[in-house]
Amino acid sequence: MTILDGKALAAKIKEQTAKTTAELASQGKRQPCLAVVLVGEDPASQIYVRNKHNDCVTTGIKSLMHTLPADTKQEDLLSLIDSLNADDGVDGILVQLPLPKHLDEKTVTERISASKDVDAFSAYNVGKITLGRGGFKPCTPAGIMRLLEEYNIEIAGKECVVVGRSNIVGKPMALLLLAAGGTVTVCHTKTADLAYHTRRADILIAAAGRADLIKGDMVKEGAVIVDVGMNRKDGKLCGDVNFEECAAKASYITPVPGGVGPMTRAMLLENTLTAYTNK
Ligand code: NAP
């Protein structure tokens, strides 16, 4: 069994990003820039945003932080996005989700210009992935694809099972696996017999957000298991996969933490660099 080491690969990607930005600086070019908008004081969001800011700082990407109060009006948030869209010095825009209840996430994420939508949550970018026409890829599924590629894991012809159908993880994950030639099944809470599907998986992506959902007897011998889940159990961070039981059968498996999480952050930096280069 081999651990899919997202932490190590993310460190490599960050190193490469830092090299690229240093080269740009040595040529007297402007720094790539990511604008991050945080509305309110959700503690988890504050940590995510701080991590993203630190990643930018350590890799030579300029990070513009906009922290707005929880009672920010929708029109004020939209007008901030409009000004960031129009700012030639800003390459990527990310609005940290979830937003306070009175703000409409759909309207807000759709307002970000497609060329700066580095989180790739807009209908335009999702449409491009669906049609296989490039565009930004959402960071978590993109990070998983990169991790599989790093370990030379073949996708074409494989049974791929994705547990979860959210717009930011499950659905785009399924589309990327499909584009890579996998035979894809997507499971969710209405799936009649989850274990029937997971046991068939050569590549299993668990993205349900339920601790211990995937047990050892639900996976095939030799499966590649990717655990996207980030759950708290007895105060400890854990994924959706029972690691001990599943690692005993897997050929490759991601740990939590140290698997998908760092890759998600690394892909945000890559998408920001892509947005910069596309200009
Ligand atoms: P989400 O929006 O809550 O979606 C969860 C999906 O899982 C839904 O489609 C749901 O089905 C399905 N599901 C839930 N319980 C299930 C069960 N018992 N059996 C089968 N399917 C089930 O969550 P998300 O945003 O996709 O995130 C999923 C997990 O990944 C969370 O733990 C989140 O924290 C984590 N995450 C991690 C990263 C990272 O970088 N590591 C990034 C993003 C998310 P229905 O559609 O039928 O409700």
Side-chain angles (χ1 to χ4, degrees):
M1 186 273 297
T2 303
I3 296 282
L4 294 169
D5 190 343
K7 196 172 164 196
L9 178 55
K12 243 166 66 175
I13 293 169
K14 280 162 84 172
E15 219 172 275
Q16 184 54 51
T17 306
K19 230 169 108 189
T20 307
T21 58
E23 275 163 23
L24 291 170
S26 73
Q27 293 160 12
K29 296 198 173 132
R30 145 182 105 69
Q31 258 180 302
C33 171
L34 174 68
V36 178
V37 181
L38 173 65
V39 188
E41 280 154 18
D42 176 62
S45 293
Q46 284 177 328
I47 295 171
Y48 294 145
V49 162
R50 194 179 332 128
N51 287 341
K52 286 166 189 173
H53 171 77
N54 291 341
D55 286 344
C56 285
V57 171
T58 55
T59 55
I61 290 176
K62 187 172 164 190
S63 163
L64 278 185
M65 279 294 308
H66 290 270
T67 310
L68 306 179
D71 60 357
T72 297
K73 290 200 184 86
Q74 174 133 323
E75 69 229 49
D76 293 335
L77 178 57
L78 293 177
S79 92
L80 170 63
I81 295 172
D82 288 345
S83 71
L84 295 171
N85 281 340
D87 186 340
D88 280 342
V90 172
D91 301 293
I93 304 170
L94 181 153
V95 177
Q96 184 65 44
L97 302 180
L99 289 170
K101 295 251 174 310
H102 67 285
L103 298 170
D104 178 27
E105 285 188 0
K106 204 169 97 207
T107 308
V108 170
T109 47
E110 289 301 328
R111 191 72 158 234
I112 299 169
S113 144
S115 61
K116 299 190 180 188
D117 177 27
V118 285
D119 244 348
F121 291 167
S122 69
Y124 179 83
N125 267 314
V126 177
K128 282 198 128 184
I129 302 171
T130 309
L131 299 172
R133 291 189 189 156
F136 294 113
K137 295 187 178 80
C139 298
T140 301
I144 293 169
M145 294 302 280
R146 181 64 81 79
L147 199 51
L148 297 178
E149 192 184 307
E150 175 76 8
Y151 286 83
N152 296 314
I153 293 167
E154 187 70 53
I155 296 169
K158 295 290 162 60
E159 290 291 335
C160 304
V161 175
V162 181
V163 184
R165 57 172 166 177
S166 73
N167 288 338
I168 61 167
V169 186
K171 277 185 207 161
M173 186 73 246
L175 289 167
L176 294 181
L177 289 166
L178 183 64
T183 302
V184 182
T185 304
V186 182
C187 301
H188 44 78
T189 53
K190 304 289 183 289
T191 299
D193 185 351
L194 179 64
Y196 164 78
H197 295 285
T198 57
R199 279 189 200 116
R200 290 189 300 107
D202 299 313
I203 300 176
L204 175 63
I205 315 282
R210 299 282 180 276
D212 228 20
L213 177 66
I214 308 295
K215 304 212 166 28
D217 63 357
M218 292 170 71
V219 301
K220 178 165 149 178
E221 201 70 51
V224 175
I225 302 175
V226 175
D227 191 353
V228 187
M230 282 201 314
N231 313 298
R232 291 258 158 214
K233 201 176 156 194
D234 307 326
K236 256 183 73 184
L237 181 68
C238 67
D240 290 354
V241 172
N242 181 310
F243 185 85
E244 281 73 30
E245 290 178 18
C246 292
K249 291 172 90 178
S251 55
Y252 294 88
I253 188 165
T254 58
V256 178
V260 176
M263 289 304 296
T264 299
R265 284 164 57 184
M267 290 301 105
L268 177 64
L269 302 173
E270 276 214 346
N271 279 353
T272 304
L273 265 191
T274 305
Y276 174 92
T277 336
N278 284 350
K279 268 196 181 156

